Structures are given as structure tokens and as C-alpha cells.
């Protein structure tokens, strides 16, 4: 497949914009500030703004937008809350950003079925505010107040995936508009089905390259009767990881088990006025009945002690817990203050949990050699961790060093039967690792699926697969 | 697409068999008894034996078989343990059955990661025997001692899906041979990944129509420290269903919650020499710490009482529990004795749990009008239930009546936002409901995926999709 076929022409894109303006009037913007805002903002790669941004308000309007873009052959880039890291929102070929933030309604809450039907532009925070009175909540928590549609498109997870799963597990079905303008619904509200291909899971994690999600049925979970939580320091990372492995193997249904390295703890102490011991720290949360959360916390305390950790202090005090998790979620920002003027280059990998201690220890050794501050945090119950080296972006040497570091981090994860990304997605820069991770045959199968559903490659081109090269 | 393109020619199939015999010698059988055994045996539809059966012993041999079948254009039908109900193993176009029962090894058990790597021919019983010493188990339990490959291919679930999920949730990745002869691995052993399309979930539930699964990485679960269980009678089905809904909504992490209607209880009493009260019955199991299972059982007892059920008798006695679950798993056979000389026509649907009581009540009313014994059992925590009318197969009127009953049962489930099958799959007869369930756009997308990965339609043709009409 030659790149010629998939090159997009400026004049086609301009024609698409003109047609969109005819149809949507002021809901199409070509203002530089709006376009800039719709490029990937949190990525360390170059920002590549779209040629225009359109603000549809219904599935049918998304269908119209895509039909027009298909007619004129213009790239289509769905936009939720702009919180992805891997350049998913960039427009390397130009094109039309579809901003779904106006489609932010909850369409139904079926409390008896513990599900809800939402539009993609609602954020997880807004959704949880909406359903609070039902005694249910939507558990997936990637940190940022991301949009639900974006979280589905990138197969997001976060701090409590260890207990509640990822977006893969919590999306029951989606409505999506495909490149051919078809509106499809991938499943019904039944909790399980054996009726046909699992197009729900095919679209979840497809990063906008197969279709634009315009509606989702989500599982909700019962708000736990009791929540307890606490922190536990360890003398080194390996002890902390071993305690995590033992916790999972003892089937303690921990809701969150987060690792913060000593540098991150230091940053949080400074940023959030905490007074945590500056050594590797596990931050935990338990959900269940009052008896069960007490039992879980006690059992974890025993495990921690066996791995030289502790003392494990826990409490069911909501205020203290909220303060700690607020600090954890601020880690990204707290760490920025470690090196004023620098930018973080966040990256993540995920390995089988038995390899986690090795993988993190080797990564930490490399960080020491890197000579840059690079805080490390992890959703360690899943074997997933993040590093964010802080780089002065106008120093190309630093960027090159970090590129090499990241490549070795991916290679290390792959050599341990892990993946090049546990939750951030592929986007632009990690495309180069896809063949190494999956093998050529699997990539060919992915490309075949992509071509089958988007033969003209208009859906978020230049992402995930190296389709046109 | 005309059916001409996809008609298979007898002489091509014979040429494929000759080539297979050259390569595999006595591991290719055309004996009538072997061929008959490899047609669908448990379906009420006609048995349609393949033209030959081949017994490969490795992924590479499966690759060779498929390459030869592709070369000569012969249908390929994967065979595990033969326990599916929906005609998945039939060869309506003739072709080659690939019997995977010799590929029944456990290739690795990674106890620390709580996963294992197996070949598809191993049964769940054999797998659980193999891993017993590790303190781990493979939870999915469809009743029959099905093969793991077959369970993946049909997205099986069963009695404890309410706690442990279905095959969708418990397959980490698969190795599969595609129609083009490529061997692909759909993922690594990391518990989560955002690296590309979820081909694992695309193959799970694809019923052999996209590829033949030759290896699987499975999640294992920690054997619960304690198990308690018990039974609870209810005055009517609606009370039982309402108790189930309340149990799920109260977040009691029940491991199994099975409904048996009064006719099934009657059959079990006769078949297994039990003395259960012959009214709707819930059969429950709780997994957890000793405290937690006691607490769960007590809380369920309170809920049961609130819905006029009980008394709820529970115990942690393993012997009594085993006897009850053995009886539950024998229900299929026990029910056969209700009408000697008749065959069961088993079918299943799944609805959102809020509609379960209505759906079952309406179905029971229809069963009363049907004038045939038709026991009903359900994995009710998921909203999934089964009916198996007992039909004298040489009475075409009875078969027609049951066809009508099944069609209305599907229509009822669909009208309640449910699915035409929760766990049995589509196979042959339920293909006609696919468009009604999914809509034409979604079916077109499924067909596009099918064509992309199997353009010559050699993989289990005549199943799931009405591809060639």
C-alpha cells in the first residue's frame, strides 16, 4: 500500500470545511486558538492542530460530519477532554477535529441493572456526580477528569483497575459512527452475550481509528458500604513489589494499590504539604462491608510486615483518605515542580506481575544513569507503571536521551512478556513498537480489520498502525 | 455477494483430503463413525458430518492443515469436546473437521502471575486437576466438561460467571491460525494493555469463523479460602428473581446463584435421590475468607426472607455442596427422564436483570400453554436462563411448536434489550436472529471483518453470519 493513496489533499480538506460550515454554521471553527486547543496538549511530541473543529450535538450530527468528511476525503479526529498523552488528538495529515464535549448527557440510569447510558463527552467526574444518589458509581479512574468516550477509545484504566477492571470490562456496548456513515450499536444491555463478534471490545481501545463513539452503555458498581485506606512505606522498591504480589496472590480484593517511588513522595510532600517518609510507598484502598475492609487491611498489614514494610497505618476516615488520593492524583503536577521549566515525558508499560520488581528495579537503575529527575508511579496490582522524565524541551540532547531510555523501557517490558503500554495507548510515537510487540502476522490482521472498516483511512490517520507506509 | 462464489465443490474437498492424507497419514480419518462423532451431537438440528477428520498435534500442524484447506478451498471446522448445542460442529458445506483433542497439554503455569498457557484441547476438568496443587483454579464452568478452546470460541460462561466473568474476561490472549495460514498471537501475558485492537476478544466468541485457536493464556483465580453454599426455596419464580436482583444490588459477591424451576427440582429429586421442596429454588455458593462467606450467607438469608423465601440453609460442608452441584450439573440429563424417548431442545437468552422476573414469568406462561415438559434453569445473577423443551423428534408438529416458542422467547428477550443467546452461541439456527438483534449496519460491520480475515469463507462456513446469502 503506497502512501500516495493515503495522502490527503489540502483542497479536499478545505472543501470539507466549507461543506461543514454550510451545514453547521458557527459550530465549525477554524480559529487558531480553537485549533491549537484541539491538538494534543499533554504530549511531548509536536502539537499538530486540525484544520477545523466541529461541535456536533447528536449521533446523527456526527454521522453527517463523517459522511461529509468521507465525501471530500478529510481526516476525522475525535476529541473528548484532551487529556491523552500519546498524541491521539494530533492531526498529522490535517483534517477535522470532532469535539464531542457538547454531547455530555446521561441518557438513562438503570439502577436496578447497575448500568447507565451516556454520551461520550461526559467526564467521569460529572458522571459520578450525576449517579451519586443511586448508591452506584463508575469506578474507572485514570487520574485526569477524562471524557468517557476518550477513556473508551484509549482503553483507559487507572488506580482501581486491579479491582474493577479497565474500560474493556466496564463498557457494555457502544453506539458508533463508522467511516461509511453507518451508525452501529455493538450490543444490548444484557450483561453477557454470545451473539456474534465482540465489536464492543474491537472499538474500545481503537483510538478513533475505526469509528467515533457517540453513546455508551456502562456498567456501574455499587458504592462500597465501607472504605478503608492507608499508606505503607518500604525500605526499597523490591520489597514493595513483593508485598503487592503477595497481596494479589492471597486474593485480598484490594480496590487500589499504588506504588510511589521516593522521588514522587518527595514531590508530593512539597506540593501537598504532606509529611510522608521519603522511601517507596504503597497507597491502598479497600472496599467492602465494615468487617471485610477491616479484615483486608489487617491481612495486608501482615503481608507488609513480612516484606519489611510498615507499620501499615489505615483508617476509614474519609477526609484523610480524600486528602491522600487528591495528592496521588496531583502527582503529575507535583512532579513538575521538581524541575522548573522542564516538561514531563510520561510513558507507561505493563508486565506480568512476577516480573514487576525486576522491571522496576532495572528501570530505576537506568533512571539513576539518566541524570534527569524521572519520578515513577505504578498501578502495581496490574503490573503497570509510569515514568515521567522531566526534560528541558529546547535541549535536543535530553530529548534524545529520554527517547533511548523509553525505547529500552519498552524493550525490557516486551522481553518480560509485557506490553509497550498498559493504559496510555499507542497514538503516534509508540507505533514503532507495535510490530515488535505483536509480530507481523498480528499487525497484518489488525491492518486488515482497519481496511475493512475504513478503506479510505479517514479515521484518525497516522495513529496506532503504520497503515500508509 | 452471491452464493455461487461461496459454494464448495466436492472435488476440491476430496483433493484437500487426499493432500491431508499424504501429509498426515492415519491421522486423517474418513470413517463414517469418526465423521458422525464429529458432527454436532447435542443439537436438535440435523447432524451434518464433515468429509474427513484430521488430528493435528501442534500449532504448526494446524497451520499446515489450514494452508492445505485454503489451497484446495475446503471448509475448516474446529472441534474440541463436542459439547456445544448450536450446531457449531456441523459441516453443512462439507469439509474438514480439525479435532484438537490431542493438543491437550498445559504448556506453563505461572503461579505468581496467576495465569497458565494451555493448548485448546484440554478440558476444564483436566486443567483444574492439573493446577490444583498451586492453590489456583480456572473458574469458568459451563456444566459440560468442555474443551478450553471450544469454550473460548463460543464465549462460554456458566454457573459462576456472576463472580468470575465469562471466557471474554478470563482469556488473556490466544494464538490462532488464520485463513491465510498466518499464526498470530493476540497479546502478551500482561494483565492489561492499550496496544492496538483487541484481537483476543475478537477471536473469543467467533465460533471458529475467523481462525482456529491453538494456544491460550488464561487467567487463574486463587482457590477461595472458604466456600459456603446452600439452597433456598421460594413460593414463586418472581420472588426468587427479586431476591437475586437484591443480592446483586447489595454487592454481595456471590460466586454462584442458580435458579431451578419446580419442574427441574422435581427431575433432580428423581434423578439424584434428593428431597428438595418442589418449588422454585436458588442454589448459591459464596467464596471468600471464613468470616466473609459466613457474612455473605447471612446477608443473603435476610434478603431471601424479605422476598418470602427460605429458610435459607447453608453450610461450609464440602460433601453436601458437591452433591448439590453435581445434581445441578446433571439437570440436563435428569430432565431427559421426564419424558422418555424425547430429546431436549435447549436454548438460552439473557436480559438485563431488571427484566428477568418478567421475562421468566412470561416464558413460564408460554411453557404452560406449550403442553410439553420444558424445564427452566438460569444463571440468574447474569440475567441468563435456559429452557429445554422435551420433544419427540419424529413428531414434526411438536418441533414446529417449539420453533415458534423459541422464536417468541428470543423476541421477548430482544424487546427487553437482551440478547438471543447469553452463552450457547449462534451456530446455525440462531443466525436468523442476528439482524434483528444487532441491526443491519452492525451485521455489515461483522461481515466486513469476516471478509477481511477470511475472504474465501473457508472458516466454519454457514455459522454465525448469513455470509453467502
Amino acid at each position: 500500500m503506497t502512501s500516495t493513496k493515503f495522502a490527503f489533499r489540502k483542497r479536499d480538506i478545505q472543501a470539507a470545511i466549507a461543506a461543514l460550515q454550510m451545514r453547521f454554521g458557527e459550530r465549525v471553527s477554524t480559529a487558531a486558538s480553537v485549533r491549537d486547543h484541539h491538538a494534543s496538549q499533554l504530549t511531548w511530541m509536536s502539537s499538530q492542530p486540525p484544520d477545523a473543529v466541529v461541535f456536533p450535538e447528536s449521533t446523527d450530527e456526527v454521522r453527517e460530519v463523517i459522511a461529509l468528511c468521507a465525501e471530500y476525503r478529510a481526516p476525522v479526529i475525535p476529541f473528548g477532554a484532551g487529556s491523552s498523552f500519546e498524541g491521539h488528538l494530533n492531526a498529522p495529515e490535517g483534517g477535522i477535529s470532532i469535539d464531542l464535549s457538547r454531547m455530555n448527557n446521561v441518557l438513562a440510569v438503570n439502577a436496578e441493572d447497575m448500568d447507565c447510558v451516556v454520551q461520550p463527552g461526559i467526564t467521569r467526574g460529572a458522571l459520578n456526580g450525576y449517579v451519586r444518589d443511586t448508591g452506584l458509581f463508575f469506578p474507572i479512574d485514570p487520574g485526569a477528569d477524562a471524557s468517557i468516550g476518550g477513556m473508551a477509545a484509549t482503553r483507559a484504566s487507572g488506580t482501581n483497575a486491579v479491582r474493577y477492571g479497565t474500560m474493556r470490562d466496564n463498557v457494555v456496548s457502544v453506539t458508533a459512527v463508522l467511516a461509511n456513515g453507518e451508525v452501529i450499536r455493538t450490543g444490548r444491555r444484557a450483561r453477557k452475550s454470545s451473539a456474534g463478534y465482540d465489536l464492543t471490545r474491537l472499538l474500545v481501545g481503537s483510538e478513533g481509528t475505526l469509528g467515533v463513539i457517540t453513546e455508551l452503555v456502562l456498567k456501574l458498581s455499587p458504592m462500597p458500604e465501607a472504605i478503608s485506606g492507608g499508606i505503607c512505606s518500604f525500605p526499597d522498591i523490591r520489597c514493595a513489589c513483593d508485598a503487592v504480589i503477595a497481596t494479589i496472590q492471597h486474593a485480598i480484593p484490594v480496590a487500589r494499590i499504588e506504588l510511589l517511588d521516593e522521588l514522587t513522595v518527595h514531590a508530593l510532600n512539597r506540593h501537598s504539604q504532606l509529611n510522608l517518609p521519603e522511601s517507596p510507598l504503597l497507597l491502598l484502598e479497600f472496599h467492602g462491608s465494615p468487617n471485610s475492609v477491616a479484615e483486608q487491611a489487617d491481612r495486608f498489614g501482615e503481608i507488609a510486615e513480612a516484606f519489611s514494610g510498615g507499620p501499615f497505618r489505615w483508617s476509614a476516615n474519609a477526609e484523610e483518605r480524600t486528602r491522600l488520593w487528591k495528592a496521588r492524583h496531583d502527582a503529575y503536577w507535583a512532579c513538575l515542580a521538581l524541575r522548573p521549566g522542564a516538561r514531563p515525558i510520561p510513558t507507561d508499560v505493563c508486565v506480568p506481575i512476577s516480573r514487576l520488581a525486576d522491571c522496576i528495579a532495572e528501570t530505576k537503575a537506568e533512571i539513576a544513569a539518566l541524570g534527569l529527575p524521572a519520578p515513577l508511579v505504578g498501578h502495581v496490582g496490574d503490573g503497570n507503571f509510569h515514568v515521567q522524565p522531566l526534560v528541558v524541551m529546547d535541549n535536543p540532547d535530553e530529548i534524545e536521551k529520554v527517547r533511548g531510555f523509553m525505547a529500552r523501557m519498552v524493550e525490557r517490558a516486551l522481553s518480560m512478556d509485557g506490553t509497550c503500554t498498559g493504559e496510555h495507548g499507542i497514538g503516534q510515537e509508540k507505533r514503532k513498537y507495535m510490530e515488535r510487540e505483536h509480530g507481523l502476522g498480528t499487525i497484518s490482521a489488525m491492518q486488515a480489520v482497519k481496511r475493512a472498516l475504513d478503506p479510505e483511512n479517514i479515521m484518525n490517520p497516522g495513529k496506532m498502525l503504520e497503515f500508509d507506509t
Side-chain angles (χ1 to χ4, degrees), chain A:
Chain A
M1 198 139 312
T2 67
S3 63
T4 319
K5 181 177 173 194
F6 287 105
F8 293 89
R9 293 187 302 188
K10 276 287 164 205
R11 67 168 186 229
D12 293 340
I13 294 171
Q14 291 307 322
I17 293 170
L20 287 167
Q21 282 169 326
M22 285 281 285
R23 167 63 186 83
F24 292 100
E26 294 191 351
R27 287 194 282 140
V28 178
S29 175
T30 54
S33 62
V34 175
R35 292 168 49 226
D36 285 348
H37 172 71
H38 285 78
S40 278
Q41 297 274 307
L42 293 176
T43 185
W44 56 279
M45 296 160 261
S46 312
S47 183
Q48 297 164 315
D51 295 297
V53 182
V54 59
F55 296 84
E57 293 174 2
S58 68
T59 294
D60 201 55
E61 287 191 356
V62 174
R63 187 192 58 69
E64 285 185 75
V65 171
I66 291 177
L68 283 173
C69 288
E71 184 182 337
Y72 292 99
R73 210 164 167 275
V76 168
I77 304 132
F79 181 97
S83 54
S84 64
F85 284 130
E86 292 291 351
H88 296 104
L89 308 169
N90 270 341
E93 315 267 356
I96 312 300
S97 173
I98 303 191
D99 183 316
L100 296 151
S101 61
R102 296 188 189 181
M103 291 174 64
N104 64 349
N105 292 306
V106 176
L107 303 176
V109 177
N110 304 296
E112 275 200 311
D113 297 317
M114 296 193 291
D115 69 39
C116 63
V117 186
V118 303
Q119 291 184 310
I122 193 169
T123 68
R124 64 177 188 87
L127 173 59
N128 275 320
Y130 190 97
V131 300
R132 186 165 294 138
D133 292 345
T134 62
L136 301 169
F137 77 117
F138 182 68
I140 310 302
D141 172 10
D145 193 19
S147 73
I148 294 292
M151 287 168 63
T154 54
R155 206 182 291 127
S157 45
T159 57
N160 49 26
V162 63
R163 166 81 174 248
Y164 294 96
T166 72
M167 288 303 278
R168 183 189 82 194
D169 310 295
N170 286 277
V171 175
V172 176
S173 75
V174 302
T175 301
V177 184
L178 304 184
N180 63 5
E182 284 280 358
V183 178
I184 69 167
R185 187 182 171 192
T186 60
R188 286 158 167 266
R189 285 203 305 111
R191 272 301 161 102
K192 67 183 197 187
S193 171
S194 288
Y197 301 140
D198 190 346
L199 298 185
T200 307
R201 253 51 58 179
L202 187 62
L203 282 161
V204 169
S206 64
E207 302 188 357
T209 65
L210 297 179
V212 175
I213 296 171
T214 61
E215 201 174 301
L216 305 95
V217 180
L218 304 174
K219 276 192 202 172
L220 298 173
S221 291
M223 202 93 78
E225 199 185 339
I227 300 178
S228 70
I231 55 173
C232 191
S233 289
F234 287 82
D236 59 45
I237 285 264
R238 191 171 288 273
C239 289
C241 289
D242 287 340
V244 171
I245 295 174
T247 304
I248 301 296
Q249 282 172 352
H250 283 75
I252 300 175
V254 60
R256 287 171 154 148
I257 185 163
E258 294 281 301
L259 173 71
L260 286 66
D261 76 348
E262 62 284 0
L263 182 59
T264 306
V265 175
H266 170 70
L268 289 188
N269 277 342
R270 293 213 315 199
H271 181 267
S272 304
Q273 289 83 49
L274 299 171
N275 192 24
L276 301 168
E278 295 190 357
S279 64
L281 186 80
L282 291 180
L283 189 51
L284 294 108
E285 196 168 278
F286 308 101
H287 295 178
S289 70
N291 286 338
S292 160
V293 298
E295 188 180 27
Q296 292 176 54
D298 289 343
R299 296 180 70 194
F300 172 77
E302 288 162 23
I303 289 172
E305 206 183 310
F307 291 97
S308 312
F312 175 53
R313 300 196 306 268
W314 67 273
S315 104
N317 181 302
E319 205 175 311
E320 189 181 331
R321 199 175 59 240
T322 305
R323 198 169 60 101
L324 276 173
W325 285 106
K326 172 80 171 59
R328 164 65 187 91
H329 281 150
D330 287 346
Y332 176 83
W333 307 106
C335 289
L336 290 192
L338 291 171
R339 194 179 182 203
R343 268 192 81 140
I345 298 191
T347 192
D348 86 310
V349 295
C350 187
V351 295
I353 199 167
S354 66
R355 305 309 307 276
L356 182 66
D358 287 342
C359 195
I360 290 183
E362 290 176 28
T363 303
K364 290 284 285 182
E366 263 223 60
I367 289 173
L370 196 61
L372 295 172
L376 183 154
V377 298
H379 311 311
V380 279
D382 302 316
N384 180 208
F385 68 95
H386 303 246
V387 181
Q388 52 175 45
L390 294 163
V391 176
V392 172
M393 294 306 282
D394 51 14
N395 182 337
D397 286 353
E398 283 196 9
I399 294 179
E400 266 327 289
K401 271 210 296 198
V402 169
R403 269 185 206 270
F405 166 78
M406 281 168 51
R408 288 186 298 278
M409 188 167 145
V410 166
E411 183 54 41
R412 184 177 307 118
L414 294 179
S415 73
M416 294 177 173
D417 219 351
T419 174
C420 71
T421 174
E423 58 181 27
H424 286 183
I426 296 298
Q428 296 180 297
E429 187 76 13
K430 281 193 170 173
R431 289 189 300 162
K432 61 181 176 232
Y433 305 125
M434 284 287 277
E435 189 180 324
R436 167 80 178 88
E437 172 156 344
H438 292 290
L440 197 53
T442 306
I443 296 298
S444 298
M446 289 186 191
Q447 286 174 324
V449 168
K450 165 74 174 173
R451 270 186 221 110
L453 297 181
D454 180 22
E456 295 293 323
N457 193 27
I458 64 168
M459 307 305 276
N460 213 359
K463 312 297 165 64
M464 185 187 288
L465 295 169
E466 289 178 322
F467 186 62
D468 47 354
T469 57

